Amino acid sequence: MNLEITFKKLPILLFLITLNLNAAELSEKNANCAQALNQGDISKAISISTDILKSDANSREGLLCKGRALGAQGNYQEALSALELGAKQSKEPFEQIISHLLIGNLHKQNKQYDAAMSSYNKSLALCLQEKNQKFSHINYNLIGETQALSGDLNAALTSYKEGEKIAMNDGERADSYERLANTYSTLGLHDLAIEHQVKATLLQKRSGTLDQNANASMEMGRIYTAAKEYQNAERAYLKLIQFAKDNGGAYYEAKANMGLAQTKIAMGDAAAAKSLLAESERIAKSIGDNDLIAEIDDSLNKVNTQK
């Protein structure tokens, strides 16, 4: 009797092991799909998500990954269909927060701003209900971006301010200040733009990565130039050039030279601008950055065609 029971249990045990192996394999495929998206390998993400959905047509992760990949390919309707199916499979509040956020991103990417706002607001409402401060901050910023893209800069400011109020660390605060600074600059409110970008730059120097630090300094120079505070702009760019040299950042050295060239153009010194752009191009060619070279060539052409 005991032996018989053992043999009857054995197929059940093997079945459970198989299920566990399939779950582990699917988990690995989900991780690989997300990694492929992050690396910009869209074809690979499509292939992996297709495999996942062959095993489980209702896989939330597979549907969301496929939707994001299709969106990156420009297949808006197919992407939306996959993401909406993924949203239906989202049971937990956090899963729903992410699903609505991804759908909002797809709408925003395709300039469907009203639809994007609707999705982000659904995500935000769940965040507030669940007291999820991190994703509330993210949603306020995404809503602000959408409002800015649709031309409502004052509404964007309101959203960014709401996000700044609940920022949980230096990185989130710096992000909020940078968004506010950029929006104030676009509105021509230069003093407020400078005030917020200075705050952002100080936070990035204290807690940010080298890239975040460099980007904040680039934007500081641009905002000073827009405000016609040319000496401050020059100082910001020169500090960035030295920072890039000290930290082996040839890309940012080239970008800083480009920014300084734009400041010289604003000051009416085309000769200095051409010299800076030539140096920027030399650096860009040394690192083989074709996109940067094209950007520099475009700036050079604009300077050369100016009367």
Side-chain angles (χ1 to χ4, degrees), residues 8 14 19-20 24 42 71 73 76 81 91 97 103 108 122 129 132-133 156 162-163 175 194 215 258 274 277 290:
K8 284 183 177 178
L14 290 174
L19 278 180
N20 288 336
I42 305 306
Q73 285 185 332
Y76 174 52
S81 177
K91 307 304 180 186
I97 285 168
I103 292 170
K108 178 160 67 69
K122 287 177 184 176
Q129 175 185 304
N132 188 319
Q133 200 165 329
E162 289 299 315
D175 183 34
I194 290 167
N215 282 321
M258 286 183 67
K274 288 179 185 179
L277 289 170
N290 293 325

Side-chain angles (χ1 to χ4, degrees), residues 132-135 137 163-173:
N132 188 319
Q133 200 165 329
K134 181 177 180 63
F135 276 84
H137 180 263
E164 188 272 326
K165 287 178 187 176
I166 58 171
M168 298 171 65
N169 53 53
D170 283 353
E172 291 183 1
R173 276 186 285 275

Side-chain angles (χ1 to χ4, degrees), residues 201-261:
T201 302
L202 290 172
L203 286 171
Q204 296 292 18
K205 284 181 179 178
R206 184 170 72 193
S207 305
T209 65
L210 292 176
D211 282 342
Q212 289 169 331
N213 192 343
N215 282 321
S217 296
M218 275 295 299
E219 185 64 2
M220 190 77 259
R222 187 200 68 77
I223 287 173
Y224 274 134
T225 300
K228 298 183 180 180
E229 292 194 16
Y230 300 129
Q231 289 185 339
N232 284 331
E234 285 185 281
R235 277 194 286 270
Y237 286 128
L238 289 171
K239 284 181 181 178
L240 177 54
I241 289 169
Q242 190 59 54
F243 175 81
K245 288 178 177 177
D246 292 343
N247 291 280
Y251 173 83
Y252 286 108
E253 184 180 352
K255 290 289 286 185
N257 275 299
M258 286 183 67
L260 187 53

Side-chain angles (χ1 to χ4, degrees), residues 237-295:
Y237 286 128
L238 289 171
K239 284 181 181 178
L240 177 54
I241 289 169
Q242 190 59 54
F243 175 81
K245 288 178 177 177
D246 292 343
N247 291 280
Y251 173 83
Y252 286 108
E253 184 180 352
K255 290 289 286 185
N257 275 299
M258 286 183 67
L260 187 53
Q262 295 303 316
T263 303
K264 293 295 185 183
I265 290 169
M267 296 169 69
D269 192 345
K274 288 179 185 179
S275 177
L276 287 161
L277 289 170
E279 173 63 8
S280 184
E281 186 165 49
R282 182 192 68 76
I283 297 168
K285 287 179 177 177
S286 74
I287 59 176
D289 192 319
N290 293 325
D291 290 339
L292 187 55
I293 291 167
E295 187 180 350

Side-chain angles (χ1 to χ4, degrees), residues 26 30 52-53 56-64 85-86 89:
L26 280 174
N30 289 331
I52 293 170
L53 293 169
D56 180 3
N58 294 318
S59 167
R60 172 182 176 272
E61 290 79 7
L63 287 164
L64 293 183
L85 285 172
Q89 300 302 320

